[in-house]
Amino acid sequence: MKYFLLAITLGIFVSCTETSNDAEDIDQIKKILHDQQTSWSNGDIEGFMAGYWESDSLKFYSGAKLSKGWETTLENYNLRYPSKAHTGKLQFKIADISKINKDAYWVMGEYHLTREVGDAKGTFLIIFKRINGDWKIVADSSC
């Protein structure tokens, strides 16, 4: 009986700790997304890119085209959004954040741009991975 109670107590502790860690992970991911909104809305594309994995292995899929690499993604953003009139104000609407495993989550949602050159909106699916203790976007599919 003593071992049974110890096992139950340990199980509850581990369960609560995992839930707590999940909540912390999700809060950190939400903070990155909030920081991205702020940077983008200030016309700071490089600040926005701080949420992405600075690697040649970063994948970005949009407009039926797959591009790879942090530098390529930054160049594409700078080409498509050359001025504050093009970046405008960004708002994310998060529909779902789901755990893939202990070091990865997907985030599904919508983006809304309010801009001088015309508003834009779409959907996204991004994958966050914990790399060296930090959450980074390793894949982004936006349309």
Side-chain angles (χ1 to χ4, degrees):
M1 182 68 168
K2 181 167 102 175
Y3 293 110
F4 176 73
L5 291 174
L6 179 62
I8 295 289
T9 303
L10 184 59
I12 290 171
F13 175 76
V14 169
S15 173
C16 290
T17 302
E18 184 172 317
T19 302
S20 172
N21 290 340
D22 290 352
E24 289 172 20
D25 292 343
I26 290 170
D27 285 346
Q28 290 173 10
I29 288 168
K30 285 180 176 179
K31 182 183 182 324
I32 292 166
L33 294 169
H34 178 267
D35 292 348
Q36 283 190 306
Q37 283 181 149
T38 301
S39 292
W40 186 274
S41 297
N42 289 329
D44 179 9
I45 293 176
E46 287 203 25
F48 175 83
M49 288 293 297
Y52 286 90
W53 182 28
E54 196 166 339
S55 167
D56 290 339
S57 297
L58 171 67
K59 293 182 177 68
F60 193 95
Y61 188 71
S62 183
K65 180 183 173 194
L66 176 64
S67 58
K68 296 180 183 177
W70 190 90
E71 288 290 337
T72 301
T73 302
L74 175 60
E75 289 170 10
N76 288 340
Y77 274 130
N78 282 325
L79 285 172
R80 291 191 60 194
Y81 305 93
S83 70
K84 181 73 172 105
H86 291 85
T87 56
K89 182 177 180 190
L90 173 63
Q91 289 291 313
F92 289 131
K93 181 178 178 187
I94 305 303
D96 183 60
I97 300 177
S98 291
K99 187 175 188 174
I100 299 168
N101 62 42
K102 71 181 183 78
D103 290 318
Y105 284 81
W106 78 51
V107 180
M108 294 179 186
E110 301 171 22
Y111 66 88
H112 298 270
L113 288 175
T114 306
R115 320 181 291 176
E116 291 176 28
V117 298
D119 296 348
K121 65 181 179 176
T123 60
F124 62 85
L125 170 68
I126 53 181
I127 307 294
F128 276 88
K129 185 174 180 184
R130 189 185 340 253
I131 300 171
N132 299 323
D134 295 322
W135 288 103
K136 293 293 180 180
I137 298 168
V138 297
D140 183 334
S141 179
S142 297
C143 52

